[in-house]
Amino acid sequence: MSGINRRSFFTAAAAAGFAVAGAPAARAATGIAAQVRRVPLTSEDRRVVVVGSGFGGGVAALRLAEAGVPVLVLERGIRWPTGPNARTFPNPTAPDKRALWYRSSPQLFGKPVALEPFAGLVEAVVGENMTALCAAGVGGGSLVYQGMSLQPSEAVFNTFFPNELDWQTMNRVHYPRVAKMLQLATAPDALVSSPSYRAPRVFAEHVTRAGLPLSKIPMPIDWNFALAELRGDMTPSYTDGSGALGVNNGGKHSVDVTYIAAAEATGKVTVETLHEVTGIERTGGGRWRVHVNRIDTAGTVLENKVLTTDALVMAAGSLNTTKLLVRSAATGQIPDMPDALGGGWGTNADRIYVWTNPVEEFGATQGGPVVYGSLNWDDPRSAHTVIQASIPSMSVDARSTMMVGFGVSEGRGRFAYDAGADEAKLHWPKDGDAVIQNGSIGPTAHKIAGPASFLTDTNVLFPSTWHALGGASMGAVCDLDGRVHGQRGLYVLDGALMPGTAGACNPSMTIAAIAERAVDNLVARDVGTVI
């Protein structure tokens, strides 16, 4: 039920005299009507509406604005401004309300979390056999991702993505454009050789000893900030490994300070924060109607908005884009959606390991966010990457650190509409990533760790992913430029467009590069006709 229809339903229920919590019918009707009156309803007409401000939304907003198109970006979360010695983000060792989105499941990493409702950073979406985590805030997932910015090799890319995307052009034009925007750089040796970065050095030694490839990982980081921390010029944020829920000191080139900032600087883009989309529908005239709750930071609805637009770009991330589209299709708000909608959903074969070695010194302080990884891509069908990720500082050396893996897997889930809950819910096969656990990432992680170590596979204890992909995938639901088949003016430009995998890489680079390519084509072909 859309926001406006839900309002009409409750107004009608009150008028009909339905009782609430045992109160007399007339009194209940008066109370509900008064509550409805307190939430104003406004309507707006916009040329382009972009839902979400992460990698896909940021690219779309900037490139359309550069083409002269006015864009409204809707972001359900808040802005998270950083700078030297800021305390914007919570410390992962003592998370507070800032960590969790107010509607998130309280079961975070399998444990109940009791926090005051807040428009926090992470929402845990619990499905069948899988919990998927997604970000909220201007910049989307770039706020909380570690920053591993990897581009698949040509062989891996062509194995899992349509050849029509043209890897050669992507490699020459679109990936480099993203790299330039994010100002990618690897950690300087002066930083890596410092005492705080013993854990990355130990990882590198183990990778080399195992005969596996070793690479420094490109990161969207100004490493001068980390060097300044070593000199004592700033409170630690990189060098103590505390940036898992956002880097306080700045210097991280997340989407909010790159793509979104550049988009706003054109004067063509407006970003509305704390605007949560509740429903979308196609009007009788073929335009798009977006129902939005303007909320406060506790999730209280302050205003209902109805936005009408010729062009709607869904960039709310794989989870929320897919959930909104599946629900709209199932309830008839968007008729004739492709049958494959909701399917083809993958985890990017995420694995997160705790690596413990009782005789190895990793350091009580482990600098981050990421320095080294092992890219095992010779066989595209079993390609996988294992990266060392530091843990927050402790008072003693816990003889442990983290390893993170990305791979390729044929395991796929789907979102299906649950009429009783009035929402799309995730269904994932129980052994969907077993081949990754047992056949590629798992064995490589154990080989790196060595015989004196033991690994705790957190995905076995608590199946989860930070890199949800698919649900409105290219080919089955959309064309390669994100146009939803049969739905003029409706686009998907985020992780939902991906084919369930990013080719053994963190997805950010490929999501952004595919969006860059797509918007090039939309500017050339759709601006002035559809947009």
Side-chain angles (χ1 to χ4, degrees), residues 157-397:
F157 187 92
N158 287 335
T159 299
F160 296 100
F161 290 87
N163 289 336
E164 293 80 4
L165 282 176
D166 184 9
W167 188 88
Q168 294 291 342
T169 302
M170 294 277 292
N171 182 55
R172 186 181 70 255
V173 177
H174 299 107
Y175 277 113
R177 191 186 296 172
V178 177
K180 183 178 180 180
M181 284 295 298
L182 300 181
Q183 303 169 62
L184 300 183
T186 58
D189 291 340
L191 183 73
V192 181
S193 63
S194 68
S196 297
Y197 283 77
R198 179 174 178 80
R201 296 197 305 272
V202 170
F203 173 83
E205 292 167 3
H206 278 248
V207 170
T208 301
R209 189 181 306 151
L212 296 169
L214 177 71
S215 301
K216 276 189 176 180
I217 303 299
M219 302 286 286
I221 300 293
D222 181 346
W223 292 103
N224 288 315
F225 281 72
L227 292 170
E229 291 180 13
L230 289 184
R231 294 193 302 269
D233 296 340
M234 298 180 191
T235 302
S237 183
Y238 292 100
T239 54
D240 66 348
S242 66
L245 290 173
V247 177
N248 277 313
N249 273 337
K252 182 181 179 183
H253 305 133
S254 47
V255 171
D256 54 325
V257 297
T258 54
Y259 279 101
I260 293 294
E264 291 179 304
T266 67
K268 291 285 186 180
V269 173
T270 301
V271 178
E272 296 282 7
T273 59
L274 294 170
H275 277 55
E276 187 171 20
V277 174
T278 60
I280 56 177
E281 59 184 314
R282 193 176 71 200
T283 71
R287 304 185 77 206
W288 298 96
R289 187 174 293 135
V290 185
H291 299 277
V292 184
N293 285 341
R294 182 172 67 85
I295 61 175
D296 64 15
T297 56
T300 303
V301 178
L302 305 177
E303 181 183 11
N304 297 135
K305 288 187 174 183
V306 178
L307 310 178
T308 305
T309 183
D310 291 321
L312 176 59
V313 179
M314 298 301 298
S318 169
L319 294 170
N320 288 306
T321 287
T322 303
K323 288 175 68 176
L324 283 165
L325 291 178
V326 167
R327 179 176 173 274
S328 293
T331 56
Q333 293 175 314
I334 308 180
D336 307 318
M337 287 290 274
D339 292 340
L341 177 66
W345 186 90
T347 65
N348 201 40
D350 275 8
R351 310 305 292 184
I352 299 177
Y353 300 93
V354 178
W355 171 20
T356 301
N357 186 324
V359 299
E360 190 74 79
E361 294 182 2
F362 292 105
T365 298
Q366 298 183 17
V370 164
V371 174
Y372 291 115
S374 181
L375 283 52
N376 300 274
W377 296 354
D378 288 346
D379 180 358
R381 286 289 172 186
S382 62
H384 58 283
T385 298
V386 178
I387 288 171
Q388 185 269 336
S390 299
I391 61 176
S393 296
M394 299 183 181
S395 57
V396 298
D397 186 345

Side-chain angles (χ1 to χ4, degrees), residues 6-20 25 28-29 32-33:
R6 186 175 282 115
R7 170 185 169 139
S8 300
F9 170 81
F10 285 119
T11 303
F18 282 85
V20 176
I32 294 176

